[in-house]
Amino acid sequence: GSLDALGSQPIHLWQFLKELLLKPHSYGRFIRWLNKEKGIFKIEDSAQVARLWGIRKNRPAMNYDKLSRSIRQYYKKGIIRKPDISQRLVYQFVHPI
């Protein structure tokens, strides 16, 4: 795809989610760690997270349905999984950093 506004490399969704998680003062209302050591996080405001991702990717029609489909693709790739105790909007990075 085309370069984003910052002229940097195209960003992957999982990188973007991690970016939001690293700035709790800005985005803690939308997404937050439940267990940072284990890489478990919760999306508190799915509409806002999808909106921010749409802005970043320059896709105004982005919604949580599309975003969650991307997250499910990561299950197969071993990037994100559902935690052992499955909850709505709770996900886990397979290799937490």
Side-chain angles (χ1 to χ4, degrees):
S2 59
L3 295 176
D4 66 4
L6 299 172
S8 59
Q9 291 299 307
I11 187 167
H12 295 284
L13 174 58
W14 66 269
Q15 293 170 315
F16 175 75
L17 294 174
K18 220 161 236 193
E19 210 174 84
L20 297 186
L21 285 161
L22 289 172
K23 299 175 185 163
H25 54 285
S26 304
Y27 303 113
R29 297 187 309 282
F30 310 146
I31 184 170
R32 65 186 178 92
W33 292 113
L34 295 183
N35 184 327
K36 194 173 182 181
E37 286 66 42
K38 291 185 177 170
I40 299 171
F41 64 96
K42 180 172 189 194
I43 295 176
E44 296 283 358
D45 189 332
S46 54
Q48 281 290 0
V49 170
R51 192 181 68 85
L52 291 167
W53 177 235
I55 291 167
R56 172 64 69 92
K57 294 297 275 189
N58 212 349
R59 288 191 199 139
M62 179 58 64
N63 58 33
Y64 190 69
D65 192 47
K66 293 175 186 166
L67 188 142
S68 62
R69 209 170 302 148
S70 299
I71 291 178
R72 284 196 296 275
Q73 292 297 312
Y74 290 143
Y75 294 179
K76 301 184 193 100
K77 295 178 180 168
I79 296 172
I80 288 177
R81 65 188 185 100
K82 285 301 267 183
D84 301 328
I85 299 160
S86 186
Q87 284 174 285
R88 210 172 101 67
L89 300 179
V90 175
Y91 302 97
Q92 180 173 17
F93 289 108
V94 175
H95 303 289
I97 295 165

